[in-house]
Amino acid sequence: MALDDILKQVPIDDIAAKLNVSPDVAKSAVEQGGAVLLGGLAKNAASEEGSAAIQNALKKHEGKAGVSTVDEVDQADGDKIVTHVLGDQKQEVTSKLNASDKTAGIDFGKLLPILAPIIMGLIANKNKEKSTTSDGAESGGGIGDLIGGLIGGGDKSGSGGGIGDLLGGILGGGSSSGGGIDLGGIIGSIFGGKK
């Protein structure tokens, strides 16, 4: 799934209007927020317990697609998803995202709960497609493989605008992010395991 697939499901203009920022800033914020949520989901899916929790959560989101306005999103559910995905690092992550020059004016505390149910719906639908095409036989990594595929895990060729390209651009060397946020540090701290 390319980054464009996520962007098509998200009401960028409505988010921009609700958060009082330009559509370009809203789009950048959706890209950054989406990358952080997918990275956190991938980390959670790495454990058996986390993978099972994600599978259960996905069942509630099957069949749901994008939305045309922010008001269609269950933001209370989104907040629960964000809390589960980021755990005790939620406050730190949102603070670091809020401090980014590239997305000045965006309150990620409000944006992430909007994005989370939309992203879960996309993953749930991809997971359902995968299940029906593989006759219910789960491949080795299950949901972790699926999320890894969404963020470009294992595909070193980095073809054409996937989430992996975005994460790679943000994570790989601070220079390409134009003095923006250090998502590498944020995701690194999420991936770095709990002390």
Side-chain angles (χ1 to χ4, degrees):
M1 178 192 308
L3 176 61
D4 290 343
D5 292 335
I6 289 177
L7 291 174
K8 282 179 203 162
Q9 306 294 318
V10 177
I12 299 285
D13 291 337
D14 195 42
I15 287 172
K18 287 266 192 294
L19 299 178
N20 203 22
V21 295
S22 73
D24 285 345
V25 169
K27 182 175 181 259
S28 289
V30 166
E31 290 172 346
Q32 288 188 2
V36 166
L37 289 172
L38 283 170
L41 282 166
K43 166 67 175 157
N44 287 337
S47 74
E48 237 175 85
E49 183 184 321
S51 180
I54 292 169
Q55 288 279 15
N56 286 335
L58 289 177
K59 288 177 186 150
K60 293 194 312 192
H61 295 275
E62 277 181 9
K64 294 182 182 170
V67 295
S68 54
T69 71
V70 170
D71 296 334
E72 294 173 40
V73 176
D74 182 349
Q75 293 178 49
D77 182 46
D79 193 51
K80 289 179 194 167
I81 295 167
V82 173
T83 299
H84 184 78
V85 168
L86 299 179
D88 58 5
Q89 307 225 336
K90 177 181 172 184
Q91 195 59 49
E92 180 189 350
V93 170
T94 52
S95 295
K96 285 184 180 177
L97 286 167
N98 286 341
S100 172
D101 295 339
K102 194 173 178 185
T103 53
I106 291 284
D107 180 350
F108 280 89
K110 292 179 181 171
L111 180 63
L112 292 179
I114 294 168
L115 292 180
I118 296 170
I119 290 172
M120 290 296 281
L122 283 165
I123 295 171
N125 294 336
K126 276 280 185 208
N127 190 44
K128 192 171 183 178
E129 282 173 29
K130 186 182 122 199
S131 300
T132 52
T133 55
S134 65
D135 298 325
E138 276 296 316
S139 62
I143 196 68
D145 285 350
L146 175 67
I147 295 169
L150 296 179
I151 60 176
D155 179 18
K156 300 290 183 238
S157 66
S159 57
I163 296 289
D165 292 346
L166 173 69
L167 278 171
I170 295 169
L171 300 177
S175 60
S176 64
S177 65
I181 187 164
D182 174 23
L183 278 184
I186 294 172
I187 293 179
S189 67
I190 294 170
F191 285 179
K194 311 284 186 248
K195 290 185 175 148

